[in-house]
Amino acid sequence: MKRYTLTGLIFLLSFILVDQSSAQERSGRINGVLRHADTGEPLMYANVTLKGTGIGAASDISGYYNISNIPAGNYTMLVTIIGHERVEREISVVAGLEQRQDFEMDPADIVGQEVVVTGERQRFERQVEVSAVNLSMRDVKVMPAFVEADIFRTLQLLPGVQSSSDFSSALVVRGGSPDENLIMLDGIEIYNPFHLGGVFSTFNADAIADAEFLAGGFPAKYGNRISSVLSITGREGDSRKNKFFAGQKLGEYFDVSQVTGEVNLLSSKILLEGPIGRGSWMFSGRRTYFDQLARVYYWAKDEPMDWSYYFYDFQGKIIQNINPTNRLSFSQYQGRDRIEFQLEQADSDVNFRWDWGNSTRSAEWRWVPNTKVVSTLSLANTIYKFDVNLQYSATDTAGSNAEAEFVVFNEINDWTVKENLDWYISSAHTVTMGLEFKGLEVNFNIGDGNIDFIDEQESNTIYSAILQDKWQPNPVIMLQAGMRLTKYSAHDNLYYEPRLGFKYLLNEDLALKGAWGIYNQFIFTAQDEDAILSIVDFWNPVPENYGAKAVQHYILGLEQWLGEGWFTSLEGYYKPYSNTLAINPDQDFADPDDDYSEGTAVVYGAELLFKKNVGSVTGWLGISYMDSQQEFDFNGDGNIVASDGEIYKSKFDQPYSVNLVMNYAASEKNSFGITVTGSSASLYTPTVGYTYTQQNSAFNFTNPYSNLQEIKGDRNSARYPNYFRVDVSYSRKIRPFDIDGLFKIQIINATNHFNTFVYNWDLSAGTVEGIGMFPFLPTFGVEFKF
């Protein structure tokens, strides 16, 4: 019986492919690339249609589009995208033949622009995108920012996304910890993309072309993270203008098209771009100057400067179009923070050095042999390092010298090779196949310079295979099914991760959407529930005696197209964690196998988003609700009891949040922005009393219990007062010395509302003091371009 069933399936598949092949012989195919006429940058999510038909497609992040199964005949191609002039071209389609049609589009004023159909409408009608938001750099740069535009701070204003405090730009998505987010730059995984202990992200907004954010239900091509995906695409660079070396021999091979930069209270940054060979190049760099300003201050006071702090990052990219079907790209990123200080006293010296950051490099080969297939092969390496060195020396009264050294070192060396193959069976049917190999080397060391208290070196490999099918069987139903198979070298089993998404058009402007999937994660950070502020993360591979972090996503929602430029989405989600890890509070440091406790968790919630991206007023309103609960058997007695602190809410639990983001282009030169945020605040474990103890003090015979010690309440059972903040901004285009510029003023917390960061308990006085986050904080900066 099984034999006949299998034979029948093979016959049915053969019939479908033969029928599909026969249909393709009776029709033609068109593909091509859309580019900005002024710069040569690819145009993403543009709409390409054949007028008078329902045939069309949207361009991808490389500007590539593909339209197949076009009946033979004469057509008018129409290309539209917000912010550019529409383009029409007469074409003739011949049965059985494929043709290349590239387009270059001139920019147009986006304010008040009337566009009939855009790529966003095409995506609404043809893409299965659940919990997805695409942000252009215009969205990021027009809103009020803390000193300078930051994509992570912008994402924190979307429904379902929160931050742990003003001092952190890390993303907490639908109750998941920040290490559960997959963050990629040009397809390269970044492990700790933050500066200044998390206050700023490491990505220069000027160097970013697009950011796709998936808050849940993401497809099979993304793996090893279980909460969300942020995929950032860097700019390719302006390949059209020859400014510096025009008319010279060098200008035929290399030139600089334009230079942009910014100077603000935090840092200075610069971006250069231009043509090179048969493509383009781009370089951006940024550095703080805290240390340089401080150096001038101490020089003026004629005092030695015994500390230094700075961070820097730079990003580069080279694109080479070998021919119309082959393209090579090379990317590199480096970001680092460094802190140093020296304390010199009469009898002791302390030297402290602490630096951390990421270094990445990658190469990608994109091959489009015909209109049916796109192959993308990439090789990437990411190195994340965290390094602390503390040296102490002291001299006693007898003149004897003692020295000590304390070292903490954490390193991840990640090599990843990926091959993705997209097979365009038809305009309504695409199959994606992929293979991925990831080699992880993780080093973790704590010691005193001579003796290693912890010295762990682990090498693990992760093999993955994906198969994904995106199919639109009729104009109102879109399906996306996929399977990801993963083999993690530390575990014997094979991980199966099925994913399913759908969209059903209830009418031409209203869609029902949903997704379900299984997600596993094999590398994580040890999160201390009681930590007030997590400055950097210590990454660890999941040990062989623990299961992978695992969760399922159940998502259901409605999506409404309200008119050109208007969009709204309502989603509900349910995320049961079948396994998650927490630091074991009762661990025995002599036992290397009890560092963590395994548990379960449940997170559920709902989100509402209104978004407008066309006209003089743009922005969005986001409203979200969320609840969570975790269960761990910390004492190992086989029973999980709330009174033992084993059932409690996650530290990332945030029941309510409302975010309003608006930008008003008052004129060609002047614009205003405002963000209003109100939300539930963070949870904490309260101090409910205190007692006298002799712990942590020398024994006192006259008063053996002379020290005060806090008595803690239930874990995460109290919440700080509600959070509220208003930020405003003003920007004006300027042109000093014939250089295009932009002057910006931002005010953080314009109402000076006190938002509690932490409570400081004074047990001896019996008082508690609230320590706040950002106060009223004005900043300004100047951008320039020439």
Side-chain angles (χ1 to χ4, degrees):
M1 182 67 182
K2 291 182 178 179
R3 176 187 170 190
Y4 293 112
T5 302
L6 181 58
T7 303
L9 289 173
I10 294 175
F11 175 78
L12 179 61
L13 180 60
S14 302
F15 175 79
I16 293 173
L17 293 177
V18 169
D19 182 67
Q20 195 69 245
S21 176
S22 177
Q24 291 172 5
E25 289 178 0
R26 300 191 300 270
S27 60
R29 305 170 71 98
I30 303 173
N31 73 347
V33 175
L34 311 180
R35 295 191 179 278
H36 193 292
D38 286 349
T39 66
E41 286 270 358
L43 292 175
M44 310 173 186
Y45 317 121
N47 186 47
V48 185
T49 59
L50 303 182
K51 291 183 68 174
T53 74
I55 302 173
S59 59
D60 63 13
I61 61 174
S62 298
Y64 178 80
Y65 74 93
N66 185 305
I67 307 175
S68 58
N69 289 357
I70 307 172
N74 297 321
Y75 299 91
T76 300
M77 291 190 72
L78 173 64
V79 185
T80 56
I81 184 173
I82 292 177
H84 293 78
E85 301 286 353
R86 58 192 289 161
V87 177
E88 294 188 9
R89 180 182 297 174
E90 301 297 325
I91 64 166
S92 180
V93 176
V94 180
L97 296 180
E98 58 185 49
Q99 58 180 290
R100 176 94 175 209
Q101 295 287 344
D102 295 338
F103 291 85
E104 294 189 357
M105 304 182 68
D106 293 312
D109 186 8
I110 194 172
V111 178
Q113 181 188 13
E114 183 178 352
V115 181
V116 178
V117 181
T118 69
E120 292 193 6
R121 176 69 189 190
Q122 187 80 357
R123 294 173 70 190
F124 172 80
E125 294 177 348
R126 296 178 180 241
Q127 298 292 326
V128 182
E129 293 184 329
V130 180
S131 304
V133 174
N134 272 83
L135 292 177
S136 68
M137 286 310 99
R138 180 178 179 272
D139 294 322
V140 176
K141 298 193 71 172
V142 298
M143 60 171 288
F146 177 53
V147 185
E148 65 182 41
D150 191 319
I151 187 171
F152 281 65
R153 296 285 182 177
T154 304
L155 290 170
Q156 288 175 348
L157 295 170
L158 293 173
V161 186
Q162 68 185 84
S163 69
S164 57
S165 73
D166 285 353
F167 306 117
S168 175
S169 58
L171 305 178
V172 177
V173 182
R174 292 180 174 176
S177 62
D179 68 332
E180 296 176 3
N181 306 315
L182 177 62
I183 299 171
M184 297 185 298
L185 175 62
D186 289 330
I188 312 170
E189 187 169 345
I190 309 293
Y191 282 93
N192 190 35
F194 308 107
H195 288 310
L196 197 61
V199 176
F200 303 99
S201 78
T202 59
F203 301 122
N204 183 349
D206 294 333
I208 297 175
D210 179 75
E212 181 183 34
F213 179 66
L214 305 171
F218 42 91
K221 68 178 181 178
Y222 299 114
N224 198 23
R225 291 297 187 278
I226 59 177
S227 275
S228 74
V229 174
L230 174 60
S231 180
I232 298 173
T233 303
R235 290 183 55 185
E236 293 188 359
D238 186 339
S239 62
R240 297 303 165 86
K241 304 185 188 74
N242 289 71
K243 288 189 174 181
F244 285 68
F245 305 111
Q248 302 181 34
K249 188 66 176 177
L250 178 61
E252 299 178 11
Y253 308 98
F254 174 85
D255 208 337
V256 180
S257 297
Q258 65 180 9
V259 179
T260 61
E262 180 178 346
V263 178
N264 55 54
L265 295 180
L266 168 71
S267 65
S268 294
K269 56 184 180 179
I270 192 168
L271 184 144
L272 301 92
E273 54 189 324
I276 182 171
R278 294 183 177 180
S280 59
W281 66 277
M282 183 276 297
F283 172 85
S284 71
R286 174 175 60 168
R287 191 191 190 278
T288 55
Y289 34 70
F290 296 127
D291 56 333
Q292 302 304 318
L293 294 177
R295 202 177 304 278
V296 173
Y297 170 79
Y298 282 101
W299 172 81
K301 294 188 65 176
D302 195 24
E303 293 181 2
M305 181 176 168
D306 54 11
W307 66 272
S308 174
Y309 171 73
Y310 64 90
F311 67 73
Y312 69 86
D313 51 65
F314 63 81
Q315 178 183 339
K317 195 172 187 178
I318 297 176
I319 303 293
Q320 285 297 293
N321 300 300
I322 307 303
N323 54 45
T325 62
N326 289 274
R327 189 183 84 153
L328 295 176
S329 63
F330 306 90
S331 299
Q332 181 162 0
Y333 165 82
Q334 175 117 12
R336 187 154 298 275
D337 287 64
R338 188 178 184 91
I339 299 174
E340 291 183 280
F341 66 79
Q342 300 174 347
L343 298 178
E344 297 183 1
Q345 298 179 354
D347 56 355
S348 63
D349 294 323
V350 175
N351 292 289
F352 179 80
R353 178 184 55 80
W354 178 13
D355 62 88
W356 71 90
N358 280 282
S359 174
T360 73
R361 57 208 55 83
S362 72
E364 181 183 278
W365 172 33
R366 183 184 175 100
W367 179 40
V368 187
N370 52 55
T371 58
K372 301 177 183 178
V373 175
V374 175
S375 170
T376 306
L377 175 66
S378 63
L379 170 65
N381 174 236
T382 296
I383 299 176
Y384 165 70
K385 288 184 179 181
F386 170 91
D387 190 3
V388 171
N389 185 283
L390 174 65
Q391 296 178 338
Y392 174 80
S393 63
T395 304
D396 60 19
T397 55
S400 299
N401 185 60
E403 296 183 353
E405 182 179 15
F406 181 71
V407 176
V408 180
F409 181 75
N410 183 213
E411 179 185 42
I412 297 175
N413 194 344
D414 177 343
W415 283 94
T416 303
V417 181
K418 289 191 290 187
E419 164 63 25
N420 272 11
L421 193 68
D422 294 313
W423 177 25
Y424 295 92
I425 299 175
S426 71
S427 297
H429 197 179
T430 303
V431 173
T432 301
M433 297 165 280
L435 295 173
E436 178 180 320
F437 165 80
K438 183 183 289 289
L440 287 172
E441 293 184 5
V442 181
N443 298 323
F444 185 57
N445 178 269
I446 298 179
D448 66 356
N450 298 313
I451 301 175
D452 293 327
F453 305 120
I454 298 177
D455 188 12
E456 299 177 356
Q457 298 181 0
E458 297 189 48
S459 296
N460 292 283
T461 54
I462 302 175
Y463 300 91
S464 300
I466 66 167
L467 179 63
Q468 184 171 290
D469 190 357
K470 185 171 64 176
W471 182 36
Q472 187 171 5
N474 59 55
V476 298
I477 297 177
M478 287 146 280
L479 302 172
Q480 184 168 275
M483 172 66 76
R484 186 179 185 94
L485 300 178
T486 302
K487 179 65 177 71
Y488 175 50
S489 60
H491 295 166
D492 294 332
N493 56 308
L494 184 65
Y495 288 89
Y496 295 85
E497 299 178 76
R499 316 275 174 88
L500 178 65
F502 76 90
K503 182 184 286 186
Y504 176 67
L505 297 179
L506 301 172
N507 58 47
E508 64 178 9
D509 292 325
L510 179 64
L512 176 69
K513 59 183 179 179
W516 168 81
I518 297 176
Y519 302 85
N520 293 286
Q521 183 166 329
F522 309 100
I523 188 168
F524 69 107
T525 61
Q527 298 286 337
D528 185 357
E529 285 278 344
D530 298 323
I532 297 174
L533 182 64
S534 179
I535 297 178
V536 291
D537 295 322
F538 293 105
W539 288 88
N540 305 280
V542 173
E544 60 182 6
N545 58 315
Y546 294 94
K549 297 183 71 172
V551 69
Q552 295 187 55
H553 290 192
Y554 296 87
I555 303 170
L556 188 65
L558 291 170
E559 195 173 293
Q560 177 78 50
W561 185 265
L562 299 174
E564 193 58 48
W566 282 92
F567 168 85
T568 184
S569 173
L570 173 65
E571 285 188 0
Y573 61 89
Y574 175 69
K575 293 169 55 178
Y577 287 73
S578 58
N579 190 61
T580 187
L581 298 173
I583 295 176
N584 181 6
D586 299 321
Q587 62 180 284
D588 181 359
F589 288 99
D591 184 358
D593 296 327
D594 73 340
D595 294 340
Y596 309 104
S597 292
E598 292 182 304
T600 61
V602 171
V603 182
Y604 60 89
E607 300 163 1
L608 177 65
L609 174 67
F610 287 95
K611 193 171 187 288
K612 183 177 185 291
N613 54 14
V614 175
S616 59
V617 178
T618 58
W620 66 82
L621 171 66
I623 303 173
S624 63
Y625 165 78
M626 186 263 284
D627 196 8
S628 69
Q629 182 171 286
Q630 299 185 134
E631 297 186 3
F632 289 90
D633 184 12
F634 287 126
N635 57 23
D637 63 357
N639 297 312
I640 299 178
V641 181
S643 59
D644 291 339
E646 297 175 328
I647 301 176
Y648 59 97
K649 289 185 178 297
S650 162
K651 66 181 293 186
F652 303 116
D653 183 273
Q654 185 184 64
Y656 304 100
S657 71
V658 178
N659 297 303
L660 175 65
V661 178
M662 292 181 62
N663 181 74
Y664 172 51
S667 66
E668 183 181 349
K669 289 187 176 182
N670 300 287
S671 64
F672 300 86
I674 183 172
T675 64
V676 181
T677 300
S679 68
S680 307
S682 301
L683 290 169
Y684 69 97
T685 301
T687 297
V688 296
Y690 59 89
T691 185
Y692 289 95
T693 178
Q694 60 179 339
Q695 295 180 2
N696 303 319
S697 66
F699 189 76
N700 187 331
F701 288 99
T702 59
N703 187 6
Y705 295 93
S706 57
N707 264 16
L708 288 173
Q709 178 175 290
E710 294 176 83
I711 300 175
K712 292 291 188 179
D714 294 336
R715 185 191 298 261
N716 294 343
S717 60
R719 192 179 298 276
Y720 295 115
N722 289 341
Y723 181 94
F724 179 78
R725 202 177 93 190
V726 177
D727 301 339
V728 296
S729 67
Y730 166 73
S731 62
R732 178 178 175 82
K733 292 182 179 179
I734 56 177
R735 191 173 171 80
F737 311 108
D738 290 329
I739 298 175
D740 292 331
L742 185 71
F743 175 71
K744 305 182 298 182
I745 298 176
Q746 300 109 352
I747 300 177
I748 305 301
N749 196 3
T751 63
N752 200 29
H753 183 80
F754 185 87
N755 292 304
T756 304
F757 174 58
V758 67
Y759 286 137
N760 182 27
W761 297 83
D762 187 337
L763 298 183
S764 60
T767 60
V768 59
E769 177 187 10
I771 298 174
M773 290 186 267
F774 287 163
F776 178 89
L777 184 62
T779 66
F780 65 89
V782 177
E783 296 182 12
F784 61 86
K785 178 189 294 186
F786 60 87

